[in-house]
Amino acid sequence: QRFAGIVLVDTPADSLNPQVVSDLVSYVRDLGRGLVVIGGPHAYGMGGYSQTGLEQALPVSMKLPKRWKLPSAAVVLIIESLEETRTTNLSNVAAEDIVGLLGEQDQIAVENASEADAAADPGGAVVVFPVPLQHVINRKAIDRAITNMVPADLFAYVPDLQISYKVLKHAHASVKHIILVGDGDAIDPTYEAVAKRIHAGGVTISTITTNGGLGGADAQTREDIARWGGGRHYRAFNASKMPRI
């Protein structure tokens, strides 16, 4: 109430206090205050404004008209165990919601190191693809494969990142992206070099941290990998936040 207006410059919604985002509707509608939003690569649709107070407060929709032709995307999901027992495996939920954002023109692959493979190969080089790279046509089969996955706790992400890059390198798509989902407790001094090399090769990397008990060093590892890989880092500690991601 102390401010006559708010200006957001290329600001993603998840960088703001969730309550502030929610209160922006009343700030504009009920208090009659001003809201100016300057766009950019981290704002509006790309900034996660959809289904938030920001979308409600602004005179525009975050949904693209169906007549627009969107660039095709090829995505590899790397799913890791959370090392804890839950009724809902948040890593799997995150993976299924990412699939839900893709269209039939897009391609998806899901990478999973099984518990047996991880034990036999501590380096994590043995990788299973329950969903090989394919167009997102049979969504039920893809979701079923993800639901039935039993992710392992990886010792290092480097082999998985490298194999994902090989899968995407020759894919025919405008956008090529790796998304690493899990608790992020695998530390490796070579992440920076590997992530930057993959980014330079035309593939970006984003990370999703899904374990609420994660320590600071582990979370920082995930943030660093995303920064070096030209992507974004997200934190989601309950299933209700997954669709926004």
Side-chain angles (χ1 to χ4, degrees):
Q1 295 182 23
R2 292 177 296 142
F3 298 95
I6 295 174
V7 180
L8 301 177
V9 182
D10 192 19
T11 305
D14 60 11
S15 69
L16 302 172
N17 184 304
Q19 188 60 51
V20 171
V21 174
S22 178
D23 288 345
L24 282 175
V25 180
S26 295
Y27 178 80
V28 174
R29 182 186 61 200
D30 302 330
L31 300 182
R33 303 297 198 267
L35 175 63
V36 177
V37 179
I38 308 299
H42 304 101
Y44 289 96
M46 292 295 290
Y49 291 10
S50 179
Q51 300 179 30
T52 70
L54 275 166
E55 182 176 34
Q56 295 178 50
L58 292 170
V60 293
S61 170
M62 300 304 129
K63 293 182 179 180
L64 288 172
K66 290 184 178 180
R67 65 180 181 273
W68 285 25
K69 185 177 180 180
L70 299 177
S72 60
V75 179
V76 173
L77 303 180
I78 303 174
I79 311 299
E80 182 190 22
S81 169
L82 301 183
E83 298 181 80
E84 58 182 42
T85 302
R86 294 191 185 201
T87 303
T88 302
N89 187 320
L90 292 185
S91 290
N92 291 40
V93 172
E96 291 171 7
D97 282 317
I98 291 166
V99 173
L101 295 173
L102 301 175
E104 292 187 357
Q105 78 278 6
D106 302 318
Q107 301 172 66
I108 186 73
V110 181
E111 180 181 320
N112 171 39
S114 69
E115 295 288 356
D117 290 333
D121 183 5
V126 178
V127 178
V128 177
F129 280 89
V131 180
L133 189 66
Q134 60 188 271
H135 285 277
V136 185
I137 297 175
N138 192 342
R139 295 178 183 274
K140 289 184 178 179
I142 294 172
D143 286 345
R144 186 164 56 249
I146 294 172
T147 300
N148 293 334
M149 285 174 54
V150 182
D153 181 36
L154 302 179
F155 293 91
Y157 306 127
V158 170
D160 304 273
L161 291 170
Q162 291 174 330
I163 292 173
S164 297
Y165 173 65
K166 289 181 181 179
V167 169
L168 292 173
K169 188 175 182 180
H170 301 293
H172 296 287
S174 303
V175 177
K176 301 178 182 182
H177 201 53
I178 297 171
I179 303 179
L180 178 60
V181 186
D183 61 10
D185 61 351
I187 309 298
D188 190 304
T190 65
Y191 284 146
E192 181 174 2
V194 171
K196 287 183 176 179
R197 186 162 58 247
I198 290 174
H199 187 202
V203 177
T204 50
I205 306 170
S206 285
T207 57
I208 299 176
T209 299
T210 57
N211 188 340
L214 204 60
D218 297 331
Q220 188 61 51
T221 297
R222 286 298 178 102
E223 292 182 20
D224 289 340
I225 292 175
R227 177 166 50 85
W228 295 324
R232 295 180 62 183
H233 172 254
Y234 302 89
R235 298 190 187 194
F237 300 147
N238 65 73
S240 67
K241 295 293 179 66
M242 295 302 174
R244 289 180 59 186
I245 292 177

